[in-house]
Amino acid sequence: MSEGRSTPWAGYAPAQAWDEAMDVHGEVREPYARVYAEIDRMSGEDLYARAEALASSYLAQGVTFDHAGEERPFPLDIVPRVVGADEWDVIAPGIAQRVRTLEAFLADVYGSQHCVTDGVVPRRLLASSKYFYRAVAGIEPANGVRVHVSGIDLVRDQNNIWRVLEDNVRVPSGVSYVLSNRRAMSQMYPDMFGAMGVRPVLEYSQRLRAALAKAAPDGVDDPTIVVLTPGVFNSAYYEHSLLARTMGVQLVEGRDLETLNGRVYMRTTAGRRRVDVIYRRVDDDYLDPVQFRPDSALGAPGIVTAARLGNVTIANAVGNGVADDKLIYTYMPDLTRYYLGEEPILPIVDTWRLEEKAAREEVMDRLDELVVKPVDGSGGKGVVIGTKASQEELDATRRLILADPRGWIAQPVIQLSTVPTLTDDGLEPRHVDLRPFAINDGDDVWVLPGGLTRVALQRGQLIVNSSQGGGSKDTWVLGGVRHRGSTVVPPPEAKVELEGVDSVPQDAHPEDWAHGQQQQQQQQAREVSGS
């Protein structure tokens, strides 16, 4: 800290959790040295001014999220999160290993179910999962991939150990914030990216499009790919439109699709156009009214039959939710050993299965010191933190568990790591988690360097989800190419050359995403206004 003047770091004190920027003695950890020095040169007024400019930029771009049914600008903190190269060299292969295990599990449960006959997973667990769909049993994906995109949530505990918190392999969301965060932060700190060797992230859309192209049905060399959205009123529509534009593919709704003779077509002004790959952002239950909810207008009738015939690929595959089940999460270490013959690289959080009597009785006695979660919950909904709950809340939770033990798990309270975050009272430690995104193209699992860091904006809050009022940070993974001096804006995000894929259009280059986003927003505004 500079001598003789106050800096934004004055008064910053790490909490009891593992602080990623500073140790308990106030020494700055090595990955944060450059970020610390950059902020240390500023006055408090300078830092707040930058934060205000960042917020204004986000508001102008329309980067929003749904909170309690209301669309709000998504808070992006001015202080980045920094992950060292040595740490990432463990995290990335750990995520890839996790994805390979999930792929093997899904192929098995929708096939021969060897994991059941070999006693690794109880049959009742699959039979009672609300996301296990017999309607898709036996479907063989074109290139064997069911989890084209995954978001594996990680936390760093008080002992500096990265742990898997949960898996998201249905329709994982949030990557658009990763891309938007990077773009915005590159304008705030143009010199630091090259100097620190921050790894690029904006190639994500190219990677995704290439993976979807490789998942096309057999015999299709130049597939037509679409992004299927529930529509403009969906909370993640911003992300759907951004991904479609940056991939250079059509964004469609269910009413834009129809099936004929076991094939899926898109209605265009020039007539029908066959669709080969659907990157769907519509939940399973709403995807095909013939197979699932008959009242749904968000999908198109016959899509699942077309997939079964091998005429269209649905990404991610229908039925992946059985792997999201938090009870399956407890079996993942065993499943990794069973399918891959490897020890898990990333540990999970110790977890009680409340359908087991002994575990349930122990948890009931310790409900006020544990975290209990619904096995099919998302967005932090339904999570009860015993140490912060009232007696009435604990009693209500106890009744819910006893009524449906299969529906709950319990875990110890993990003191999530903290990262300096700008608050109304200056820089303070705030708890964070991390959602790295991985893309599986059938030959390789590529892990986006960084991912979405979610930050709890309230002091001491452990639930970081945006739906619970959280914000985000740009995640800087070190170990990339270093450049001397200033970098151009945006930072060096090289267009990748993808072997065997030459159909990524020029307009899919990530530098074009902002223009595409504006077009989508203008289109959305016209549709909402009816003009």
Side-chain angles (χ1 to χ4, degrees):
M1 184 182 301
S2 299
E3 298 292 341
R5 69 177 179 86
S6 178
T7 83
W9 293 109
Y12 183 80
Q16 293 181 340
W18 180 273
D19 192 85
E20 299 187 7
M22 199 175 293
D23 67 19
V24 294
H25 305 294
E27 296 294 325
V28 179
R29 301 189 194 279
E30 194 278 332
Y32 279 84
R34 177 66 188 262
V35 171
Y36 180 91
E38 180 80 10
I39 294 176
D40 193 50
R41 284 195 289 268
M42 303 179 196
S43 67
E45 290 76 13
D46 292 338
L47 188 60
Y48 278 110
R50 288 200 186 208
E52 186 174 348
L54 191 65
S56 298
S57 169
Y58 249 42
L59 186 61
Q61 293 178 35
V63 184
T64 63
F65 72 106
D66 177 76
H67 178 63
E70 178 184 352
E71 284 294 315
R72 297 181 178 181
F74 191 51
L76 168 61
D77 189 62
I78 191 69
V79 183
R81 182 196 205 166
V82 185
V83 180
D86 55 340
E87 296 176 86
W88 193 252
D89 288 343
V90 175
I91 292 173
I95 295 294
Q97 182 193 57
R98 190 93 178 175
V99 173
R100 288 188 286 117
T101 302
L102 290 164
E103 285 281 11
F105 170 72
L106 287 166
D108 192 15
V109 298
Y110 287 111
S112 303
Q113 297 194 349
H114 291 303
C115 65
V116 173
T117 54
D118 289 344
V120 182
V121 172
R123 187 180 301 278
R124 69 175 186 283
L125 193 157
L126 303 181
S128 58
S129 173
K130 64 185 293 187
Y131 296 114
F132 177 71
Y133 292 96
R134 288 182 173 77
V136 295
I139 294 180
E140 295 288 345
N143 64 342
V145 176
R146 288 177 169 80
V147 185
H148 304 80
V149 179
S150 57
I152 310 297
D153 290 351
L154 303 180
V155 296
R156 196 177 198 177
D157 69 14
Q158 52 268 42
N159 298 314
N160 189 25
I161 297 174
W162 289 92
R163 296 181 182 274
V164 177
L165 186 64
E166 66 179 50
D167 304 295
N168 298 278
V169 293
R170 281 179 282 171
V171 283
S173 63
V175 75
S176 61
Y177 300 126
V178 178
L179 307 181
S180 300
N181 288 353
R182 179 56 53 86
R183 181 81 179 193
M185 290 292 280
S186 69
Q187 296 170 342
M188 289 295 112
Y189 302 109
D191 298 343
M192 286 204 290
F193 285 90
M196 293 176 63
V198 178
R199 300 187 196 186
V201 299
L202 296 184
E203 67 191 66
Y204 177 87
S205 298
Q206 289 176 266
R207 293 273 186 181
L208 176 57
R209 191 184 191 283
L212 295 175
K214 293 180 72 171
D218 293 341
V220 178
D221 297 326
D222 185 15
T224 297
I225 303 169
V226 299
V227 175
L228 175 60
T229 175
V232 296
F233 297 110
N234 183 269
S235 62
Y237 183 77
Y238 163 77
E239 178 159 301
H240 307 163
S241 59
L242 176 64
L243 290 176
R245 182 66 181 102
T246 54
M247 284 195 292
V249 305
Q250 291 291 323
L251 179 67
V252 301
E253 299 181 24
R255 61 188 177 185
D256 300 319
L257 301 178
E258 64 178 341
T259 56
L260 185 66
N261 298 326
R263 302 184 188 279
V264 180
Y265 295 88
M266 170 174 53
R267 298 185 180 94
T268 74
T269 55
R272 294 192 186 99
R273 180 178 177 183
R274 179 176 165 176
V275 173
D276 305 299
V277 180
I278 301 173
Y279 180 43
R280 57 75 177 250
R281 302 301 297 262
V282 174
D283 288 340
D284 289 350
D285 285 344
Y286 300 91
L287 192 59
D288 186 341
V290 173
Q291 300 290 341
F292 308 116
R293 291 187 54 149
D295 59 337
S296 173
L298 300 180
I303 284 182
V304 171
T305 298
R308 180 175 294 282
L309 294 171
N311 293 329
V312 72
T313 298
I314 299 173
N316 283 341
V318 178
N320 279 7
V322 66
D324 276 3
D325 189 312
K326 292 184 178 59
L327 272 180
I328 287 295
Y329 164 90
T330 68
Y331 290 90
M332 281 297 290
D334 290 336
L335 291 170
T336 301
R337 299 182 189 101
Y338 177 70
Y339 289 119
L340 307 184
E342 302 172 1
E343 284 298 312
I345 297 173
L346 296 172
I348 65 171
V349 178
D350 294 338
T351 305
W352 287 267
R353 303 170 186 140
L354 299 191
E355 63 171 0
E356 298 173 358
K357 183 179 179 182
R360 186 166 63 250
E361 290 177 349
E362 179 180 351
V363 169
M364 288 301 171
D365 291 339
R366 301 174 55 194
L367 203 55
D368 59 347
E369 59 183 271
L370 300 175
V371 178
V372 293
K373 303 176 179 178
V375 298
D376 58 355
S378 61
K381 295 176 182 176
V383 174
V384 178
I385 301 176
T387 54
K388 297 180 180 297
S390 66
Q391 189 57 52
E392 290 75 16
E393 290 171 324
L394 292 175
D395 291 341
T397 302
R398 184 174 283 105
R399 290 193 293 272
L400 290 171
I401 293 172
L402 292 174
D404 178 24
R406 163 66 171 85
W408 296 84
I409 61 168
Q411 295 173 331
V413 176
I414 299 293
Q415 289 297 323
L416 311 185
S417 59
T418 56
V419 176
T421 302
L422 189 60
T423 74
D424 291 342
D425 298 319
L427 290 174
E428 293 190 347
R430 289 290 185 270
H431 295 292
V432 294
D433 76 351
L434 179 63
R435 173 173 292 181
F437 292 89
I439 294 174
N440 186 5
D441 68 4
D443 296 319
D444 182 46
V445 178
W446 177 77
V447 182
L448 177 71
L452 178 62
T453 287
R454 298 178 296 185
V455 54
L457 298 179
Q458 300 300 315
R459 183 180 299 164
Q461 173 67 267
L462 290 172
I463 298 178
V464 299
N465 304 75
S466 58
S467 58
Q468 304 295 308
S472 74
K473 286 176 171 289
D474 192 18
T475 309
W476 294 5
V477 175
L478 306 184
V481 177
R482 291 177 180 267
H483 299 266
R484 290 185 176 180
S486 300
T487 60
V488 296
V489 178
E493 302 279 3
K495 181 178 181 180
V496 294
E497 298 297 332
L498 303 174
E499 184 178 357
V501 177
D502 56 6
S503 58
V504 178
Q506 290 298 314
D507 62 357
H509 192 274
E511 288 187 0
D512 199 34
W513 73 271
H515 176 63
Q517 176 191 344
Q518 292 172 356
Q519 288 187 328
Q520 292 288 350
Q521 290 167 350
Q522 291 166 359
Q523 175 184 341
Q524 178 180 352
R526 287 196 298 271
E527 291 178 5
V528 171
S529 65
S531 60

